[in-house]
Each structure stands twice: as structure tokens, then as C-alpha cells.
Amino acid sequence: MTRVMTLLLIASAASAQTAAPGNDTIREDELRADLFFLASDDMRGRLTETPENTLAASFIRARFERLGLKPMGPEGSYYQPFRLMRSVLGETNTLELVIGDGPTYRAQLRREFHPTPFSPTASAEGELAFVGYGLRAPKLGHDDYRGDVRGKIVLVLEHEPGEKDADSRFDGVVASEYSRDIRKAMYAQTAGAVGVLFVSDVHNHDEEGNFEEGSRRNWPDTPSRVPRYALAVWAEAVRIPVAEVSPALLGTFFDVPFVELTRRADAPGGMEPKMFPSVRVRLTTGVERTIVSDRNVVAAIEGSDPQRKDEWVVICAHYDHDGADGARVFNGADDDGSGSVALLEIAEAYATGARQGAAPRRSVLFAAWNSEERGLLGAWAYAEAPLVPLAQTVATLNMDMIGRNEEVPVGGGRRFRGLELQTAESNRNTVHIMGYTYSGDLKRSVEEANRFTELELEMDYDNNESNLLRRSDQWPFLQKGVPSLFFHTGLHPDYHTEFDVPERIQYEKMTRIARLVHQLSWELAQADGRPQFDRPERAAAIP
């Protein structure tokens, strides 16, 4: 089928539709009642690995079960289990550097180096090789390993080339998935390196600040209220020691100023590794790991069309938040209680329609992710081990913070970086749609579905310094090549504070957004064609 024909089929199917069956059952009063429970003080902010987080998952599971939705977890469960890992600094961490026959320099832990939280307990010794940003992005024509680094300890810059360039071949001014540190460690390991040293790209970030302060943020003297987690399946794949070093430490080990050396990494297409055979490195990392069980809540309504029921539309939100600090509760009403209760209402709309004989042609998966606030870990766990094939996933529609009006105040600080000053009143009818640059078909589909809700669809944040596109659960699906949209009413001063409470939610607006997502999902499930993914070169996580 040609692309033009696909677009015509999608458009004709949408134009022929009335409101999706059950759309009017998405009600403001029900959203309010659910959110006042899910984001109450008694739920203590639903932090990962707490009883209240478990209760939130049970609440969602019970609703899915009561609606008669199909359980999608293993062995007939509504839960998809996965594993997280948290770490503490072990007893033995050493970094030694030797130039030629000179004396051994022993770096000071947490002042000049520290292991990364995802490093294993491991040791390595080898000559140093500088590999620039340490990236392998063949779809973008970039490779920093065009040379033999087997047996070497590689020095890798943080971030990526052109990170302040809106026209960067990576993702413009937002950070691409290629630049994730744990992926860079895997690139190095695959290339045969025996260890990795990360260092700041000082030619871009000379303002980065005190290395010792940053080290203590990674490895605090006393345990943090909110643990730092990694996806266990990723961390367990890294077998070589990985550490971060201070730029000041490296100044005397090269024959050119270090900042000049880092500038070479911006060469188009990557750089050939620069070997330093006279610099020998001995690295030992000690990291004590604890495995934590976690789970998503997943249910489905099966499609009615024998030719389409094995294709899927995913509708999702995350149910975790940031917990509580004594009497200070981070309720997370907007983030993301709003998306979670909307998910329940949309699931109910589908169940109502199915009971009345109006089941969708394609199947629909309802997913409540956990541990989004810890790094999109529930959604990443699903993307790495999907319950339905990603190749058969037509689209993913993610709702995160859909209950307020965007408000960017004067003096808002780094949390609002890249966003223009604006009032909540000016955004009373707006919703941001992100992911639109990855699928023109999906962009047109949401514009068509909006005919019933008449919201102002803002499509301007895919390439923005705020990096919002990467900060919610549609991101893993985009990185796997699945057309995906992020519905978001914007940041506001209550974001991630104890003032994000149910009383401040705009329920009428949230109701219309939930109805929009339901309408769009229905039209995607009914259409003969499916939206195309337009940016395969940016899907960094496809094997």
C-alpha cells in the first residue's frame, strides 16, 4: 500500500466517524473522585518501593478487573513484573594513572573520581584511548570507534556533538538517546574496551561547577530519601568498570590542553580514537547492588476484526510520584495522577462500548507504568520486553500532567529552561502535543480527532531546551520506532512540590483531553491504514 493511500484511508475513516462509543462516559465528577483518592495525603506521594505505591497499583488493577478487561501480565495477571537496581558505594574504589616510567598518581575518591551508579564491581588495567563522545550512531553516520580500542580504557566525553545546535544531526537541542551514559558504556564494551572513564565536555560546559559536589550527589554521605534506581536488565549487561573523573585531574596527562583535545570530538561523523600509549590506567570500582521488584499494571480490550485484532493501540500514564518527606507530601495530582485517572476513564469508555456491541477493530492496551519519576523505568522495562510486539503496535498515546494550565513565571529557574514566560490564564484551553515530528500521519490524526473537543493543540516542544519530549513515557516507544504522542498541559510552579494537589486541577479541561485521547485511539483502532514512523534515524534503541 502506498503512503498516499494509507493517508487517504486514515483520513476517510476519521471523517466518517461520529464520537467514539462511550466517549460521553468520560465524566468530570468521576475523574475528580478518583484523583482525590489517588493523590490524597494518605497515598503519601506513591513513591516507588513504598506501601502506598503498591496500593496505587492495586487500585488500578481492581478497576481494570471490575471493567472486565483482559489481564495482560504473565499467567493471567494484571501486573507486568520487572526489576530495578539501586546501588551504594562499595569499600574498594581506586583509580591510578601512570605516565611512562613515572610515579603512580592515585586519584582521590569523590574529589577526583567516582564510579557511576550503574558500574559493576570490577577491575581493569590498560592504556588510555580518547574516543570523543564515545558514540556509535550508524543511522546518523557517526562513529567514534573507527579504530581498535580492544584492551584499552577509554576516555569518553559526556553529552553529544552539537547539543546547542537546533539543526544537530542528533536531536537538535534536546538530548538524544544515543548520549545516555549507560548506552555509551555498552558501545565501549562492544568495541572491546576494558573500562570507561567519563569526563565533562569542558569546551561546552566550562560552567559545570565543583566536581566534588557532583560526586557527593551521586554518592551522598547519608542515604537519600529517594533512592536512585537503574533498570536491572541494563545495569547487568555492563560488565566493565565505569567511572567519572574530574577534568582537572586529566590536565597534566596530555600533550595538548585538555579543552583543545575535547574540541576534536565535534568532528563531523565522529573521530578516530586518539591513543595515549604512555598513559596507563588501573581502575577498580566497588558498587554494592540491590535488586528491587517492580511492576506495571496492564490490561486490554481485544479487537473485533480478525484481520486487525493482532495490531495494537497503547494508551498509557504513570501512577508513581515523589513520595513524602515527613509531613510534606508530594501528592502528584497533576504529575501524574491526572493521566492515571484519565486512563481509567478511557478504559471504562472502551468497556462500555464493547458491552454495547461496539468493540474496536484493533486491540487496545491500557498501561499504567511505574517508576516514571525514577527514569521512565516502567515504560523502558516494557519496551525492552513488550507484552505485544512493537512491530504490531500502531501507536502509543501517553498522558502525563494533563490537569493544569502551563505557567512559566519570572525567576522560575532551571526547571523552566527553554520555556517562554506565560500565564496560566493564557493557556486555559491549550494542550501540548509532543512526538509530532516523528509521525506526520499521527499529527494529522490528532488534529482530526480534536474536532469534538476544540482544544488548542500546541505543537512546539519537540526540539526545545526543556527536553520535555524525553521526560515522559512515550520516549522509549519513539526510540523503538513506534509512532507516539505525549499529551501534556505544561509545567507550572506547583510541579514536583507539595502544592500539586487535587484541589488545583482543572477538571473540565482534563475531561476534554481524556475524551480527545479516547477519540484518537478509537479512530486509530478503526482505520484500515496505520500511521508511519518518519524518523527511523532517531530511533536509537532499535537493535
Side-chain angles (χ1 to χ4, degrees), residues 172-207:
V173 297
V174 297
S176 75
E177 185 62 29
Y178 290 104
S179 67
R180 186 189 290 266
D181 283 355
I182 198 166
R183 294 201 186 279
K184 290 186 179 185
M186 293 300 297
Y187 301 149
Q189 182 172 280
T190 301
V194 296
V196 179
L197 298 177
F198 282 109
V199 66
S200 172
D201 49 332
V202 293
H203 64 296
N204 290 324
H205 295 274
D206 56 358
E207 77 288 354

PDB file of all heavy atoms in Angstrom, residues 172-207:
ATOM      1  N   GLY A 172      18.719  17.796  17.771  1.00  0.00           N
ATOM      2  CA  GLY A 172      18.655  19.236  17.969  1.00  0.00           C
ATOM      3  C   GLY A 172      19.149  19.610  19.352  1.00  0.00           C
ATOM      4  O   GLY A 172      20.138  19.066  19.832  1.00  0.00           O
ATOM      5  N   VAL A 173      18.446  20.520  20.024  1.00  0.00           N
ATOM      6  CA  VAL A 173      18.910  20.993  21.326  1.00  0.00           C
ATOM      7  C   VAL A 173      18.436  20.104  22.471  1.00  0.00           C
ATOM      8  O   VAL A 173      18.770  20.346  23.624  1.00  0.00           O
ATOM      9  CB  VAL A 173      18.477  22.448  21.591  1.00  0.00           C
ATOM     10  CG1 VAL A 173      19.099  23.388  20.573  1.00  0.00           C
ATOM     11  CG2 VAL A 173      16.961  22.582  21.597  1.00  0.00           C
ATOM     12  N   VAL A 174      17.643  19.079  22.188  1.00  0.00           N
ATOM     13  CA  VAL A 174      17.287  18.116  23.221  1.00  0.00           C
ATOM     14  C   VAL A 174      18.293  16.977  23.190  1.00  0.00           C
ATOM     15  O   VAL A 174      18.890  16.674  22.169  1.00  0.00           O
ATOM     16  CB  VAL A 174      15.854  17.560  23.028  1.00  0.00           C
ATOM     17  CG1 VAL A 174      14.838  18.671  23.141  1.00  0.00           C
ATOM     18  CG2 VAL A 174      15.700  16.861  21.689  1.00  0.00           C
ATOM     19  N   ALA A 175      18.501  16.344  24.337  1.00  0.00           N
ATOM     20  CA  ALA A 175      19.470  15.253  24.415  1.00  0.00           C
ATOM     21  C   ALA A 175      18.913  14.019  23.716  1.00  0.00           C
ATOM     22  O   ALA A 175      17.770  13.634  23.926  1.00  0.00           O
ATOM     23  CB  ALA A 175      19.781  14.936  25.876  1.00  0.00           C
ATOM     24  N   SER A 176      19.737  13.390  22.893  1.00  0.00           N
ATOM     25  CA  SER A 176      19.284  12.183  22.198  1.00  0.00           C
ATOM     26  C   SER A 176      19.536  10.957  23.068  1.00  0.00           C
ATOM     27  O   SER A 176      20.340  10.975  24.003  1.00  0.00           O
ATOM     28  CB  SER A 176      20.020  12.031  20.867  1.00  0.00           C
ATOM     29  OG  SER A 176      21.351  11.594  21.082  1.00  0.00           O
ATOM     30  N   GLU A 177      18.877   9.869  22.718  1.00  0.00           N
ATOM     31  CA  GLU A 177      19.063   8.614  23.450  1.00  0.00           C
ATOM     32  C   GLU A 177      20.472   8.069  23.258  1.00  0.00           C
ATOM     33  O   GLU A 177      21.000   7.371  24.123  1.00  0.00           O
ATOM     34  CB  GLU A 177      18.023   7.592  22.996  1.00  0.00           C
ATOM     35  CG  GLU A 177      18.030   6.294  23.773  1.00  0.00           C
ATOM     36  CD  GLU A 177      17.703   6.463  25.249  1.00  0.00           C
ATOM     37  OE1 GLU A 177      16.958   7.406  25.597  1.00  0.00           O
ATOM     38  OE2 GLU A 177      18.187   5.648  26.056  1.00  0.00           O
ATOM     39  N   TYR A 178      21.100   8.400  22.132  1.00  0.00           N
ATOM     40  CA  TYR A 178      22.468   7.942  21.898  1.00  0.00           C
ATOM     41  C   TYR A 178      23.408   8.384  23.010  1.00  0.00           C
ATOM     42  O   TYR A 178      24.397   7.718  23.305  1.00  0.00           O
ATOM     43  CB  TYR A 178      22.991   8.487  20.569  1.00  0.00           C
ATOM     44  CG  TYR A 178      22.361   7.903  19.334  1.00  0.00           C
ATOM     45  CD1 TYR A 178      21.423   8.627  18.594  1.00  0.00           C
ATOM     46  CD2 TYR A 178      22.706   6.630  18.876  1.00  0.00           C
ATOM     47  CE1 TYR A 178      20.856   8.103  17.440  1.00  0.00           C
ATOM     48  CE2 TYR A 178      22.142   6.102  17.727  1.00  0.00           C
ATOM     49  CZ  TYR A 178      21.218   6.841  17.011  1.00  0.00           C
ATOM     50  OH  TYR A 178      20.650   6.313  15.872  1.00  0.00           O
ATOM     51  N   SER A 179      23.122   9.543  23.631  1.00  0.00           N
ATOM     52  CA  SER A 179      24.061  10.127  24.581  1.00  0.00           C
ATOM     53  C   SER A 179      23.880   9.630  26.008  1.00  0.00           C
ATOM     54  O   SER A 179      24.600  10.071  26.909  1.00  0.00           O
ATOM     55  CB  SER A 179      23.934  11.654  24.568  1.00  0.00           C
ATOM     56  OG  SER A 179      22.678  12.064  25.080  1.00  0.00           O
ATOM     57  N   ARG A 180      22.963   8.714  26.258  1.00  0.00           N
ATOM     58  CA  ARG A 180      22.783   8.170  27.606  1.00  0.00           C
ATOM     59  C   ARG A 180      24.064   7.456  28.035  1.00  0.00           C
ATOM     60  O   ARG A 180      24.614   6.621  27.312  1.00  0.00           O
ATOM     61  CB  ARG A 180      21.602   7.211  27.627  1.00  0.00           C
ATOM     62  CG  ARG A 180      21.235   6.690  29.012  1.00  0.00           C
ATOM     63  CD  ARG A 180      20.208   5.580  28.914  1.00  0.00           C
ATOM     64  NE  ARG A 180      18.901   6.045  28.488  1.00  0.00           N
ATOM     65  CZ  ARG A 180      17.923   6.389  29.311  1.00  0.00           C
ATOM     66  NH1 ARG A 180      18.111   6.334  30.623  1.00  0.00           N
ATOM     67  NH2 ARG A 180      16.755   6.781  28.841  1.00  0.00           N
ATOM     68  N   ASP A 181      24.552   7.729  29.255  1.00  0.00           N
ATOM     69  CA  ASP A 181      25.834   7.188  29.701  1.00  0.00           C
ATOM     70  C   ASP A 181      25.884   5.669  29.656  1.00  0.00           C
ATOM     71  O   ASP A 181      26.892   5.078  29.264  1.00  0.00           O
ATOM     72  CB  ASP A 181      26.147   7.673  31.127  1.00  0.00           C
ATOM     73  CG  ASP A 181      26.631   9.108  31.164  1.00  0.00           C
ATOM     74  OD1 ASP A 181      26.817   9.701  30.082  1.00  0.00           O
ATOM     75  OD2 ASP A 181      26.821   9.642  32.276  1.00  0.00           O
ATOM     76  N   ILE A 182      24.795   5.015  30.060  1.00  0.00           N
ATOM     77  CA  ILE A 182      24.836   3.560  30.107  1.00  0.00           C
ATOM     78  C   ILE A 182      24.914   2.985  28.689  1.00  0.00           C
ATOM     79  O   ILE A 182      25.535   1.940  28.464  1.00  0.00           O
ATOM     80  CB  ILE A 182      23.637   2.991  30.889  1.00  0.00           C
ATOM     81  CG1 ILE A 182      23.929   1.548  31.317  1.00  0.00           C
ATOM     82  CG2 ILE A 182      22.345   3.104  30.110  1.00  0.00           C
ATOM     83  CD1 ILE A 182      22.968   1.010  32.360  1.00  0.00           C
ATOM     84  N   ARG A 183      24.343   3.677  27.715  1.00  0.00           N
ATOM     85  CA  ARG A 183      24.486   3.224  26.324  1.00  0.00           C
ATOM     86  C   ARG A 183      25.920   3.420  25.851  1.00  0.00           C
ATOM     87  O   ARG A 183      26.479   2.575  25.136  1.00  0.00           O
ATOM     88  CB  ARG A 183      23.509   3.976  25.419  1.00  0.00           C
ATOM     89  CG  ARG A 183      22.063   3.652  25.712  1.00  0.00           C
ATOM     90  CD  ARG A 183      21.139   3.973  24.549  1.00  0.00           C
ATOM     91  NE  ARG A 183      19.747   3.767  24.936  1.00  0.00           N
ATOM     92  CZ  ARG A 183      19.131   2.602  24.972  1.00  0.00           C
ATOM     93  NH1 ARG A 183      19.800   1.502  24.649  1.00  0.00           N
ATOM     94  NH2 ARG A 183      17.869   2.517  25.349  1.00  0.00           N
ATOM     95  N   LYS A 184      26.533   4.542  26.232  1.00  0.00           N
ATOM     96  CA  LYS A 184      27.928   4.758  25.857  1.00  0.00           C
ATOM     97  C   LYS A 184      28.836   3.684  26.450  1.00  0.00           C
ATOM     98  O   LYS A 184      29.798   3.251  25.812  1.00  0.00           O
ATOM     99  CB  LYS A 184      28.381   6.150  26.308  1.00  0.00           C
ATOM    100  CG  LYS A 184      27.745   7.291  25.538  1.00  0.00           C
ATOM    101  CD  LYS A 184      28.354   8.614  25.961  1.00  0.00           C
ATOM    102  CE  LYS A 184      27.780   9.790  25.201  1.00  0.00           C
ATOM    103  NZ  LYS A 184      28.454  11.054  25.541  1.00  0.00           N
ATOM    104  N   ALA A 185      28.543   3.276  27.677  1.00  0.00           N
ATOM    105  CA  ALA A 185      29.321   2.195  28.279  1.00  0.00           C
ATOM    106  C   ALA A 185      29.171   0.909  27.468  1.00  0.00           C
ATOM    107  O   ALA A 185      30.143   0.152  27.286  1.00  0.00           O
ATOM    108  CB  ALA A 185      28.889   1.972  29.726  1.00  0.00           C
ATOM    109  N   MET A 186      27.970   0.657  26.972  1.00  0.00           N
ATOM    110  CA  MET A 186      27.743  -0.533  26.158  1.00  0.00           C
ATOM    111  C   MET A 186      28.454  -0.423  24.815  1.00  0.00           C
ATOM    112  O   MET A 186      29.009  -1.413  24.308  1.00  0.00           O
ATOM    113  CB  MET A 186      26.246  -0.748  25.949  1.00  0.00           C
ATOM    114  CG  MET A 186      25.495  -1.116  27.218  1.00  0.00           C
ATOM    115  SD  MET A 186      26.091  -2.653  27.984  1.00  0.00           S
ATOM    116  CE  MET A 186      25.722  -3.833  26.685  1.00  0.00           C
ATOM    117  N   TYR A 187      28.472   0.776  24.198  1.00  0.00           N
ATOM    118  CA  TYR A 187      29.229   0.945  22.958  1.00  0.00           C
ATOM    119  C   TYR A 187      30.696   0.602  23.190  1.00  0.00           C
ATOM    120  O   TYR A 187      31.333  -0.081  22.378  1.00  0.00           O
ATOM    121  CB  TYR A 187      29.133   2.394  22.448  1.00  0.00           C
ATOM    122  CG  TYR A 187      27.756   2.924  22.164  1.00  0.00           C
ATOM    123  CD1 TYR A 187      27.470   4.281  22.338  1.00  0.00           C
ATOM    124  CD2 TYR A 187      26.733   2.104  21.720  1.00  0.00           C
ATOM    125  CE1 TYR A 187      26.211   4.799  22.074  1.00  0.00           C
ATOM    126  CE2 TYR A 187      25.459   2.615  21.452  1.00  0.00           C
ATOM    127  CZ  TYR A 187      25.209   3.963  21.636  1.00  0.00           C
ATOM    128  OH  TYR A 187      23.966   4.480  21.387  1.00  0.00           O
ATOM    129  N   ALA A 188      31.251   1.110  24.292  1.00  0.00           N
ATOM    130  CA  ALA A 188      32.666   0.857  24.601  1.00  0.00           C
ATOM    131  C   ALA A 188      32.916  -0.628  24.819  1.00  0.00           C
ATOM    132  O   ALA A 188      33.902  -1.195  24.325  1.00  0.00           O
ATOM    133  CB  ALA A 188      33.074   1.660  25.826  1.00  0.00           C
ATOM    134  N   GLN A 189      32.054  -1.256  25.580  1.00  0.00           N
ATOM    135  CA  GLN A 189      32.217  -2.684  25.872  1.00  0.00           C
ATOM    136  C   GLN A 189      32.156  -3.512  24.588  1.00  0.00           C
ATOM    137  O   GLN A 189      32.965  -4.419  24.386  1.00  0.00           O
ATOM    138  CB  GLN A 189      31.110  -3.108  26.837  1.00  0.00           C
ATOM    139  CG  GLN A 189      31.173  -4.557  27.276  1.00  0.00           C
ATOM    140  CD  GLN A 189      30.159  -4.838  28.371  1.00  0.00           C
ATOM    141  OE1 GLN A 189      30.398  -4.536  29.536  1.00  0.00           O
ATOM    142  NE2 GLN A 189      29.013  -5.384  28.005  1.00  0.00           N
ATOM    143  N   THR A 190      31.216  -3.180  23.712  1.00  0.00           N
ATOM    144  CA  THR A 190      31.092  -3.897  22.445  1.00  0.00           C
ATOM    145  C   THR A 190      32.338  -3.711  21.582  1.00  0.00           C
ATOM    146  O   THR A 190      32.740  -4.635  20.854  1.00  0.00           O
ATOM    147  CB  THR A 190      29.839  -3.411  21.684  1.00  0.00           C
ATOM    148  OG1 THR A 190      28.689  -3.636  22.501  1.00  0.00           O
ATOM    149  CG2 THR A 190      29.672  -4.138  20.368  1.00  0.00           C
ATOM    150  N   ALA A 191      32.955  -2.531  21.671  1.00  0.00           N
ATOM    151  CA  ALA A 191      34.159  -2.262  20.880  1.00  0.00           C
ATOM    152  C   ALA A 191      35.403  -2.938  21.460  1.00  0.00           C
ATOM    153  O   ALA A 191      36.477  -2.859  20.854  1.00  0.00           O
ATOM    154  CB  ALA A 191      34.387  -0.760  20.781  1.00  0.00           C
ATOM    155  N   GLY A 192      35.279  -3.562  22.634  1.00  0.00           N
ATOM    156  CA  GLY A 192      36.403  -4.272  23.222  1.00  0.00           C
ATOM    157  C   GLY A 192      37.157  -3.526  24.295  1.00  0.00           C
ATOM    158  O   GLY A 192      38.178  -4.018  24.798  1.00  0.00           O
ATOM    159  N   ALA A 193      36.679  -2.332  24.678  1.00  0.00           N
ATOM    160  CA  ALA A 193      37.324  -1.602  25.773  1.00  0.00           C
ATOM    161  C   ALA A 193      37.141  -2.376  27.074  1.00  0.00           C
ATOM    162  O   ALA A 193      36.145  -3.086  27.259  1.00  0.00           O
ATOM    163  CB  ALA A 193      36.732  -0.200  25.907  1.00  0.00           C
ATOM    164  N   VAL A 194      38.104  -2.217  27.995  1.00  0.00           N
ATOM    165  CA  VAL A 194      38.035  -2.949  29.264  1.00  0.00           C
ATOM    166  C   VAL A 194      37.571  -2.058  30.413  1.00  0.00           C
ATOM    167  O   VAL A 194      37.350  -2.552  31.527  1.00  0.00           O
ATOM    168  CB  VAL A 194      39.387  -3.597  29.605  1.00  0.00           C
ATOM    169  CG1 VAL A 194      39.747  -4.653  28.575  1.00  0.00           C
ATOM    170  CG2 VAL A 194      40.494  -2.549  29.727  1.00  0.00           C
ATOM    171  N   GLY A 195      37.438  -0.765  30.168  1.00  0.00           N
ATOM    172  CA  GLY A 195      36.967   0.158  31.192  1.00  0.00           C
ATOM    173  C   GLY A 195      36.603   1.486  30.553  1.00  0.00           C
ATOM    174  O   GLY A 195      37.010   1.783  29.422  1.00  0.00           O
ATOM    175  N   VAL A 196      35.828   2.300  31.278  1.00  0.00           N
ATOM    176  CA  VAL A 196      35.358   3.588  30.766  1.00  0.00           C
ATOM    177  C   VAL A 196      35.569   4.650  31.830  1.00  0.00           C
ATOM    178  O   VAL A 196      35.235   4.444  33.008  1.00  0.00           O
ATOM    179  CB  VAL A 196      33.862   3.541  30.389  1.00  0.00           C
ATOM    180  CG1 VAL A 196      33.394   4.911  29.884  1.00  0.00           C
ATOM    181  CG2 VAL A 196      33.590   2.471  29.345  1.00  0.00           C
ATOM    182  N   LEU A 197      36.103   5.802  31.398  1.00  0.00           N
ATOM    183  CA  LEU A 197      36.180   6.990  32.233  1.00  0.00           C
ATOM    184  C   LEU A 197      35.380   8.090  31.555  1.00  0.00           C
ATOM    185  O   LEU A 197      35.688   8.492  30.428  1.00  0.00           O
ATOM    186  CB  LEU A 197      37.624   7.450  32.417  1.00  0.00           C
ATOM    187  CG  LEU A 197      38.596   6.494  33.110  1.00  0.00           C
ATOM    188  CD1 LEU A 197      39.994   7.093  33.145  1.00  0.00           C
ATOM    189  CD2 LEU A 197      38.110   6.169  34.527  1.00  0.00           C
ATOM    190  N   PHE A 198      34.322   8.565  32.209  1.00  0.00           N
ATOM    191  CA  PHE A 198      33.548   9.690  31.699  1.00  0.00           C
ATOM    192  C   PHE A 198      34.127  10.997  32.228  1.00  0.00           C
ATOM    193  O   PHE A 198      34.586  11.072  33.369  1.00  0.00           O
ATOM    194  CB  PHE A 198      32.085   9.590  32.140  1.00  0.00           C
ATOM    195  CG  PHE A 198      31.264   8.619  31.347  1.00  0.00           C
ATOM    196  CD1 PHE A 198      30.841   7.429  31.914  1.00  0.00           C
ATOM    197  CD2 PHE A 198      30.910   8.894  30.034  1.00  0.00           C
ATOM    198  CE1 PHE A 198      30.080   6.526  31.190  1.00  0.00           C
ATOM    199  CE2 PHE A 198      30.147   8.008  29.297  1.00  0.00           C
ATOM    200  CZ  PHE A 198      29.730   6.816  29.871  1.00  0.00           C
ATOM    201  N   VAL A 199      34.056  12.045  31.384  1.00  0.00           N
ATOM    202  CA  VAL A 199      34.517  13.364  31.798  1.00  0.00           C
ATOM    203  C   VAL A 199      33.647  14.407  31.107  1.00  0.00           C
ATOM    204  O   VAL A 199      33.123  14.173  30.016  1.00  0.00           O
ATOM    205  CB  VAL A 199      36.011  13.569  31.451  1.00  0.00           C
ATOM    206  CG1 VAL A 199      36.233  13.581  29.933  1.00  0.00           C
ATOM    207  CG2 VAL A 199      36.563  14.824  32.099  1.00  0.00           C
ATOM    208  N   SER A 200      33.485  15.554  31.741  1.00  0.00           N
ATOM    209  CA  SER A 200      32.681  16.625  31.174  1.00  0.00           C
ATOM    210  C   SER A 200      33.295  17.134  29.874  1.00  0.00           C
ATOM    211  O   SER A 200      34.511  17.242  29.733  1.00  0.00           O
ATOM    212  CB  SER A 200      32.572  17.776  32.176  1.00  0.00           C
ATOM    213  OG  SER A 200      31.942  18.895  31.579  1.00  0.00           O
ATOM    214  N   ASP A 201      32.437  17.462  28.895  1.00  0.00           N
ATOM    215  CA  ASP A 201      32.886  18.110  27.663  1.00  0.00           C
ATOM    216  C   ASP A 201      33.086  19.597  27.975  1.00  0.00           C
ATOM    217  O   ASP A 201      32.223  20.430  27.754  1.00  0.00           O
ATOM    218  CB  ASP A 201      31.895  17.892  26.522  1.00  0.00           C
ATOM    219  CG  ASP A 201      30.453  18.190  26.896  1.00  0.00           C
ATOM    220  OD1 ASP A 201      30.120  18.058  28.093  1.00  0.00           O
ATOM    221  OD2 ASP A 201      29.659  18.543  26.006  1.00  0.00           O
ATOM    222  N   VAL A 202      34.271  19.892  28.483  1.00  0.00           N
ATOM    223  CA  VAL A 202      34.524  21.206  29.072  1.00  0.00           C
ATOM    224  C   VAL A 202      34.466  22.339  28.051  1.00  0.00           C
ATOM    225  O   VAL A 202      34.254  23.498  28.424  1.00  0.00           O
ATOM    226  CB  VAL A 202      35.885  21.229  29.797  1.00  0.00           C
ATOM    227  CG1 VAL A 202      35.861  20.310  31.017  1.00  0.00           C
ATOM    228  CG2 VAL A 202      37.014  20.814  28.851  1.00  0.00           C
ATOM    229  N   HIS A 203      34.626  22.034  26.769  1.00  0.00           N
ATOM    230  CA  HIS A 203      34.530  23.094  25.771  1.00  0.00           C
ATOM    231  C   HIS A 203      33.090  23.571  25.601  1.00  0.00           C
ATOM    232  O   HIS A 203      32.857  24.654  25.080  1.00  0.00           O
ATOM    233  CB  HIS A 203      35.104  22.634  24.432  1.00  0.00           C
ATOM    234  CG  HIS A 203      34.365  21.502  23.790  1.00  0.00           C
ATOM    235  ND1 HIS A 203      34.279  20.259  24.355  1.00  0.00           N
ATOM    236  CD2 HIS A 203      33.670  21.438  22.614  1.00  0.00           C
ATOM    237  CE1 HIS A 203      33.573  19.469  23.553  1.00  0.00           C
ATOM    238  NE2 HIS A 203      33.190  20.152  22.509  1.00  0.00           N
ATOM    239  N   ASN A 204      32.138  22.773  26.048  1.00  0.00           N
ATOM    240  CA  ASN A 204      30.725  23.172  26.020  1.00  0.00           C
ATOM    241  C   ASN A 204      30.187  23.530  27.398  1.00  0.00           C
ATOM    242  O   ASN A 204      29.187  24.238  27.513  1.00  0.00           O
ATOM    243  CB  ASN A 204      29.858  22.038  25.462  1.00  0.00           C
ATOM    244  CG  ASN A 204      30.074  21.806  23.990  1.00  0.00           C
ATOM    245  OD1 ASN A 204      30.288  22.746  23.239  1.00  0.00           O
ATOM    246  ND2 ASN A 204      30.034  20.547  23.577  1.00  0.00           N
ATOM    247  N   HIS A 205      30.836  23.003  28.451  1.00  0.00           N
ATOM    248  CA  HIS A 205      30.283  23.131  29.808  1.00  0.00           C
ATOM    249  C   HIS A 205      31.373  23.549  30.795  1.00  0.00           C
ATOM    250  O   HIS A 205      31.615  22.883  31.793  1.00  0.00           O
ATOM    251  CB  HIS A 205      29.659  21.806  30.256  1.00  0.00           C
ATOM    252  CG  HIS A 205      28.466  21.415  29.451  1.00  0.00           C
ATOM    253  ND1 HIS A 205      27.190  21.854  29.730  1.00  0.00           N
ATOM    254  CD2 HIS A 205      28.360  20.638  28.338  1.00  0.00           C
ATOM    255  CE1 HIS A 205      26.349  21.364  28.832  1.00  0.00           C
ATOM    256  NE2 HIS A 205      27.033  20.629  27.986  1.00  0.00           N
ATOM    257  N   ASP A 206      31.982  24.695  30.523  1.00  0.00           N
ATOM    258  CA  ASP A 206      33.004  25.168  31.455  1.00  0.00           C
ATOM    259  C   ASP A 206      32.398  25.687  32.750  1.00  0.00           C
ATOM    260  O   ASP A 206      33.105  25.979  33.708  1.00  0.00           O
ATOM    261  CB  ASP A 206      33.870  26.260  30.815  1.00  0.00           C
ATOM    262  CG  ASP A 206      33.039  27.432  30.314  1.00  0.00           C
ATOM    263  OD1 ASP A 206      31.799  27.381  30.427  1.00  0.00           O
ATOM    264  OD2 ASP A 206      33.634  28.393  29.794  1.00  0.00           O
ATOM    265  N   GLU A 207      31.039  25.766  32.783  1.00  0.00           N
ATOM    266  CA  GLU A 207      30.357  26.270  33.981  1.00  0.00           C
ATOM    267  C   GLU A 207      29.840  25.141  34.853  1.00  0.00           C
ATOM    268  O   GLU A 207      29.057  25.370  35.765  1.00  0.00           O
ATOM    269  CB  GLU A 207      29.181  27.172  33.564  1.00  0.00           C
ATOM    270  CG  GLU A 207      27.917  26.448  33.074  1.00  0.00           C
ATOM    271  CD  GLU A 207      28.033  25.794  31.702  1.00  0.00           C
ATOM    272  OE1 GLU A 207      29.079  25.989  31.057  1.00  0.00           O
ATOM    273  OE2 GLU A 207      27.095  25.095  31.280  1.00  0.00           O
TER     274      GLU A 207
END
